[in-house]
Amino acid sequence: MVSSQLESRGIRDERVLNAMAKIPRHLFVDEWLRDRAYSDNPLPIGERQTISQPYIVALMTEALELQGHEKVLEIGTGSGYQAAVLAELADRVCSIERIASIASRARTLIESLDYFNVLIWVGDGTYGWREEAPFDAIIVTAGAPDVPKAYKEQLAVGGRLVIPVGDRHTQVLLRYTRLSEDIDDMKEEDLGGCRFVDLIGNHGWKQ
Ligand code: SAH
């Protein structure tokens, strides 16, 4: 998976590649999908949600440019796989999931793998997580109609936000870098097309 799907497509960050080589991705999918856990596509995780394609996880994680000291916010815990990758690369991970059954499964798995730096909370992640802000990095793993203001507000100056924005079928992956105290002072970069499940919430899509 690491050489044929990630390095071959230009993922260069050694820390990202090592983390994804180490984490047992097959544990993050149901037993009947285990032999496909390392294949080049997303997979269902129940409740009509998916674990992202390995390349997309790598691309988004690399774009956060983590060094190890960061506090990261993830929106959309899902299987917990992305949270495990972040736990390897940052100091603390705060992850929000709106579906309680999905969150509790991810929490049990993350704990069983001895990641003690991940906090999973059940709720509408379109508000961010004000009590834990500011964050050095924010990663949104569901597609949004636009960027919820809370993410810009809760991003530390110098921090990076990676978010898929578009309609309910296709999105572009955007990276924002906060340049100053002014929340509109952001550098925006287009990282390419992608396709995610909906970000559903008060500042996302309606159910
Ligand atoms: N990062 C996940 C993949 C996430 S799929 C992984 O590594 O497996 C997207 C997830 O976002 C789904 O589980 C969905 O329930 C969740 N989601 C959608 N809208 C949300 C919201 N407003 N707040 C929190 N989670 C949300």
Side-chain angles (χ1 to χ4, degrees):
M1 177 188 88
V2 167
S3 61
S4 72
Q5 299 172 37
L6 310 183
E7 288 178 295
S8 68
R9 293 196 186 116
I11 303 296
R12 291 284 170 265
D13 187 329
E14 285 291 333
R15 297 180 71 242
V16 174
L17 296 169
N18 291 340
M20 290 184 65
K22 171 179 170 189
I23 296 166
R25 183 170 161 95
H26 57 279
L27 300 182
F28 292 82
V29 299
D30 286 341
E31 222 152 315
W32 63 281
L33 287 169
R34 285 215 170 141
D35 57 344
R36 282 151 65 190
Y38 298 88
S39 61
D40 192 15
N41 45 261
L43 291 168
I45 57 167
E47 307 278 351
R48 287 181 292 126
Q49 306 304 320
T50 55
I51 176 174
S52 303
Q53 178 190 15
Y55 172 67
I56 289 290
V57 173
L59 181 69
M60 293 177 83
T61 309
E62 184 172 69
L64 296 176
E65 295 176 356
L66 300 172
Q67 308 292 317
H69 56 81
E70 296 85 356
K71 184 175 185 181
V72 184
L73 174 66
E74 178 194 23
I75 310 298
T77 314
S79 67
Y81 179 71
Q82 175 75 70
V85 174
L86 296 170
E88 289 280 346
L89 300 175
D91 181 41
R92 288 189 58 199
V93 182
C94 299
S95 184
I96 309 178
E97 170 58 50
R98 62 178 278 274
I99 301 175
S101 59
I102 288 185
S104 100
R105 210 159 31 142
R107 194 181 284 128
T108 303
L109 179 55
I110 288 275
E111 280 170 10
S112 76
L113 293 172
D114 287 348
Y115 290 112
F116 300 116
N117 58 344
V118 180
L119 212 54
I120 297 175
W121 181 70
V122 177
D124 177 1
T126 64
Y127 293 99
W129 195 333
R130 198 168 302 274
E131 297 75 16
E132 293 287 344
F135 298 98
D136 305 298
I138 300 179
I139 176 169
V140 184
T141 64
D146 41 45
V147 182
K149 191 170 168 207
Y151 301 162
K152 294 186 171 180
E153 289 167 349
Q154 293 175 25
L155 190 63
V157 173
R160 291 155 303 280
L161 159 66
V162 175
I163 179 169
V165 177
D167 61 30
R168 292 182 100 146
H169 303 288
T170 59
Q171 301 92 31
V172 281
L173 203 51
L174 297 177
R175 171 166 70 177
Y176 291 93
T177 306
R178 183 162 181 178
L179 300 174
S180 73
E181 288 297 332
D182 174 1
I183 67 157
D184 292 317
D185 191 11
M186 298 263 181
K187 176 166 121 186
E188 182 190 293
E189 293 159 277
D190 183 339
L191 305 182
C194 56
R195 194 191 161 126
F196 278 84
V197 297
D198 291 345
L199 180 73
I200 296 171
N202 209 29
H203 301 288
W205 296 105
K206 305 299 163 228
Q207 197 154 17

